[in-house]
Amino acid sequence: MVSRGFRAFVQTLAVLAAMTCGLMGAPAFAQAVNSGHVEMELAPLTATVQPGTTTYVALREKIAPRWHTYWKNAGDAGLPPTLTWTLPSGWKAGDTVWPRPQRLPQWQLMTYGYEGQVFLPVAIKVPASATNGDRAAIAAHVEILVCKDVCIPETADLKLALPVSTAIPEVSPQWGADVARALAEAPKPATFAASANYAKGVITLAAAGAPLKGVDANGAYFFPDDASMVLLPARQAVERGPDGLTLTLKPSPVLAKAGALSAPLTGLLATKSSAWEISARPNAPPPPGASGLGPALAAGDAPKNANSGIGGLLTALGFALLGGMVLNLMPCVFPVLSMKAAALAARAHAPEEARRDGLFFLAGTLSAFLVLAVVVVAGKAAGQALGWGFQLQSPKVTAALTLLTLAIALNLSGVFEAGLTLQGVGGDLQRKPGAAGAFFTGVLAVVVGAPCTAPFMASALGYALTAGAVATFVVFLALGLGLALPFVALSFSPALLRRLPKPGVWMDTLRKLLAFPMYATAAFMAWVFAQQSGGPALGLLMGATVTLALCLYLYGLHQQAYVEGRRSTASLVAAGAALIGALALAGFAAASETEPNAVVAEGGPSSVHAEPYSAERLAALRAQGKPVFVNFTAAWCVSCKVNEAVAFSSADTAKAFADTGAAYLVGDWTRRDAAITQALTAQGRTGVPLYLVYGVDGGEPKVLPQVLTSGAVVRALKAAARTG
């Protein structure tokens, strides 16, 4: 009789044998690795592989929203992914099959890459000596650069167990169909003739042959393999031919210096439906049929900048000067300019001091604009996209401005005196704060004025940030001159100054009243910080404001004791300790910033559903034949909030959205966002607000004024809904 224990032992062996057989025939297995902003894994084409054949294993990249990786030619910036393979003996990895890339323009740079999910297939040659039933261990070390408004290098070590079988392979059930699709849609080697010629400052790329006969040439584009040959951000003019295409490209400085093409021009010739890998013969006659039927739609995403040369610069300077002057009327700078007005009133009957203060105020505004220009030019050189108001996209800056404006408000309220030194209160307050205070007020007017974009400023800034460094500096200085000009003119006009009342007790009352706009500014900056960083960080910032107020109160007690001839070392030490505490809390608040929400879904009509802006969603809505209203806004943009309160809150606006069926997209630029920056740049703009209305008939959007009314929105929506 067989014992119960022996029977259990036999059953266990049977189970293990079954498991072993199952593993031998199991499909390929890989595990995804999330490197931070990209989920990666090795995705095989087939579940098993045959000895002596070639299969494909793809690098699957699932890229975080609004981030991107790069093509084999990254363009003006970036790096392509690299894969270092570890394969069994006798196995060999071939070249990567690169899918057609996207164009990713940023300011005056052009990069090529991928967003969303992409498969990069690699040919793997399986040796004939591979043993049936083995599970081949395949590994790849991946180094990848992923970018949004910053670029982060990430790595992953990926592994794949790939079964070897003499049976005919089946498509892998998980990713096989996607890899097969990537291979089917990948650019193919061209079977037609192509030539490239460089003359008269342009490259003429001509291609003709059966695959190009009758192809839709609109938007055709050439992706060069070598970024040093073609000026990538420039638009590419396309001309149709009966049997092909002719593209006119701008040469890179390297080619322009060389003066001639010395090697074939290789790259990707892409149309809407297909793409081919071409090698255009240099200095060869164009193939017949490549042109002659007129121009097609130009390709390229270079920023719009219709003005050029000295005329464009002079126009931009005029708009900058006017825009700077109008900025004085915008709500952002009211609190700061009211301080300057009070200072001028105090010196209304001291012309020399008034002129001095006016010049120092001008110096402050020009210095602040000069610093902004330096940052913008440096950012452009580093490949970053910066626009007007970029400094307020940083929670660290909004936290610092919250504390700064609170300190100014407490000073105006008389909690403490700025500039009070050991030489005495009276004379020091009348003299020393004059020049320094005027300079500081000019700087503060620029920093706090960033949430507003005045009329005329958009065109000037658009020119400055898409032109060269010299133009950027000149236009920014013209903006500063325009902002300071009214106060400079007033300070140099004795007749106007004499009309102001003489200094007296009324000035102290005015000063304390002016503290309240500064308190409001501090509260607004704290609200912006909350939109950027969330509730917990706001709690830390509120602690910092209370501690700073305690610090300045204690410092005011120290000043009062000094004026009365008493010692107050304890209050001064306590004020210093409170200041350290306030700065520490503010630092913790800024460091605890979190990712913002996808969209600030507010500011539009309350009855209209707001969706986050994306180029893909906009394209989908337009394909459905719907009118679309796009609102590019930011929490720190006071002009945006005023427009939304005035133009979007009315019943007429809500009714117009309902009657026309228009979709409402919100592009939130509260924190830096490369996709929204790109959309602004495409319209020749560098900041918010920007309002676009797309009609049902297609075509370019209608750009609404920066100062909105309900009537303007209603008229634009009705026009967008009309056909014909």
Side-chain angles (χ1 to χ4, degrees):
M1 179 178 290
V2 179
S3 69
R4 183 179 299 175
F6 180 76
R7 190 184 303 117
F9 174 72
V10 172
Q11 290 173 345
T12 302
L13 288 178
V15 171
L16 290 174
M19 292 176 62
T20 302
C21 293
L23 288 173
M24 294 287 287
F29 173 76
Q31 188 170 4
V33 174
N34 193 321
S35 61
H37 297 89
V38 184
E39 180 184 279
M40 292 180 272
E41 70 176 299
L42 296 179
L45 172 63
T46 57
T48 61
V49 294
Q50 279 184 315
T53 62
T54 297
T55 187
Y56 284 90
V57 174
L59 170 65
R60 182 182 76 91
E61 302 176 15
K62 184 179 180 182
I63 308 164
R66 300 182 181 177
W67 292 77
H68 61 267
T69 60
Y70 292 98
W71 186 50
K72 62 180 179 179
N73 171 18
D76 289 325
L79 291 171
T82 60
L83 290 86
T84 304
W85 293 92
T86 301
L87 302 173
S89 178
W91 293 57
K92 293 183 180 179
D95 295 331
T96 301
V97 178
W98 295 92
R100 174 178 175 159
Q102 299 171 249
R103 283 171 277 159
L104 304 170
Q106 288 190 337
W107 298 111
Q108 290 184 311
L109 301 178
M110 175 66 73
T111 60
Y112 303 134
Y114 306 104
E115 296 176 333
Q117 181 166 268
V118 64
F119 290 82
L120 306 180
V122 177
I124 302 292
K125 185 175 181 181
V126 184
S129 59
T131 304
N132 179 44
D134 281 355
R135 292 180 65 82
I138 295 176
H141 176 73
V142 182
E143 296 182 359
I144 198 166
L145 187 69
V146 56
C147 299
K148 185 182 168 187
D149 49 357
V150 296
C151 289
I152 300 174
E154 296 181 356
T155 62
D157 290 303
L158 308 178
K159 296 180 180 180
L160 171 66
L162 196 56
V164 179
S165 174
T166 56
I168 297 176
E170 295 183 357
V171 173
S172 176
Q174 185 174 14
W175 302 116
D178 297 283
V179 178
R181 188 180 304 110
L183 289 167
E185 297 175 355
K188 302 299 187 293
T191 57
F192 48 82
S195 68
N197 289 275
Y198 175 55
K200 298 182 180 180
V202 297
I203 303 170
T204 303
L205 174 64
L212 294 176
K213 189 177 181 66
V215 73
D216 185 355
N218 289 334
Y221 190 84
F222 176 65
F223 296 89
D225 285 340
D226 187 351
S228 67
M229 301 303 293
V230 179
L231 189 64
L232 303 184
R235 293 186 180 276
Q236 299 181 4
V238 185
E239 186 176 356
R240 305 172 192 268
D243 298 317
L245 307 171
T246 296
L247 284 76
T248 302
L249 318 173
K250 288 189 177 181
S252 70
V254 173
L255 179 58
K257 185 177 181 180
L261 284 167
S262 58
L265 186 62
T266 62
L268 204 63
L269 178 60
T271 64
K272 287 184 177 179
S273 58
S274 302
W276 300 270
E277 297 172 345
I278 67 170
S279 178
R281 293 175 299 160
N283 312 311
S291 62
L293 297 182
L297 293 180
D301 293 291
K304 294 181 179 179
N305 190 0
N307 296 322
S308 61
I310 189 64
L313 178 59
L314 292 177
T315 301
L317 289 177
F319 280 138
L321 192 64
L322 286 173
M325 294 175 66
V326 175
L327 192 59
N328 286 279
L329 304 177
M330 305 304 287
C332 310
V333 294
F334 276 163
V336 177
L337 296 185
S338 61
M339 292 169 53
K340 181 58 187 167
L344 275 179
R347 288 160 178 77
H349 300 275
E352 292 184 2
E353 293 183 3
R355 288 193 293 270
R356 178 203 63 192
D357 286 3
L359 291 176
F360 272 91
F361 179 76
L362 172 63
T365 59
L366 293 181
S367 298
F369 270 105
L370 187 62
V371 170
L372 289 178
V374 168
V375 175
V376 167
V377 170
K380 287 165 61 180
Q384 296 186 14
L386 300 177
W388 178 248
F390 68 89
Q391 64 271 35
L392 292 181
Q393 292 176 324
S394 167
K396 296 178 178 63
V397 173
T398 51
L401 285 175
T402 300
L403 298 183
L404 176 61
T405 50
L406 175 63
I408 294 172
L410 292 171
N411 171 250
L412 293 173
S413 294
V415 173
F416 74 103
E417 298 294 342
L420 186 60
T421 68
L422 297 179
Q423 280 72 37
V425 180
D428 189 72
L429 283 178
Q430 291 298 319
R431 292 188 296 272
K432 194 169 184 179
F439 181 89
F440 172 76
T441 305
V443 172
L444 189 64
V446 176
V447 175
V448 178
C452 284
T453 304
F456 306 108
M457 278 182 63
S459 298
L461 287 169
Y463 178 92
L465 299 186
T466 57
V470 174
T472 300
F473 281 109
V474 173
V475 171
F476 269 60
L477 289 176
L479 281 167
L481 177 61
L483 177 61
L485 194 57
F487 285 96
V488 174
L490 181 60
S491 64
F492 275 78
S493 176
L496 290 176
L497 288 174
R498 282 195 296 269
R499 293 179 177 273
L500 296 175
K502 293 183 178 181
V505 177
W506 66 271
M507 291 183 58
D508 184 63
T509 303
L510 176 62
R511 170 188 170 182
K512 291 178 179 177
L513 285 175
L514 291 177
F516 290 95
M518 295 309 297
Y519 284 124
T521 303
F524 173 71
M525 287 297 172
W527 177 80
V528 171
F529 179 84
Q531 303 305 303
Q532 296 170 327
S533 300
L538 177 63
L540 290 171
L541 182 63
M542 291 297 96
T545 60
V546 173
T547 310
L548 178 65
L550 175 62
C551 162
L552 297 177
Y553 170 74
L554 293 171
Y555 181 62
L557 291 181
H558 166 74
Q559 290 180 318
Q560 184 62 35
Y562 175 78
V563 171
E564 296 173 358
R566 296 183 287 107
R567 296 177 61 87
S568 58
T569 305
S571 59
L572 185 61
V573 171
L579 178 61
I580 294 172
L583 295 178
L585 286 171
F588 289 136
S592 64
E593 62 187 64
T594 58
E595 284 294 319
N597 294 328
V599 64
V600 177
E602 57 181 64
S606 58
S607 60
V608 178
H609 173 64
E611 297 183 64
Y613 167 83
S614 70
E616 295 76 15
R617 183 56 181 156
L618 174 61
L621 289 169
R622 298 191 71 189
Q624 296 171 17
K626 295 175 68 71
V628 184
F629 189 104
V630 183
N631 175 10
F632 291 104
T633 183
W636 42 261
C637 174
V638 178
S639 300
C640 304
K641 298 307 173 187
V642 171
N643 284 337
E644 289 160 2
V646 171
F648 289 159
S649 61
S650 73
D652 291 340
T653 301
K655 185 175 184 297
F657 270 96
D659 292 344
T660 60
Y664 180 61
L665 301 183
V666 179
D668 178 23
W669 210 43
T670 300
R671 295 180 69 170
R672 291 180 62 185
D673 186 303
I676 293 176
T677 302
Q678 177 181 330
L680 294 171
T681 305
Q683 297 297 325
R685 295 294 181 89
T686 61
V688 290
L690 175 62
Y691 307 105
L692 304 177
V693 182
Y694 292 85
V696 296
D697 287 339
E700 292 294 312
K702 176 179 176 58
V703 181
L704 299 189
Q706 291 173 301
V707 178
L708 271 188
T709 63
S710 176
V713 175
V714 170
R715 287 191 295 272
L717 289 173
K718 290 181 177 179
R722 287 196 292 268
T723 58

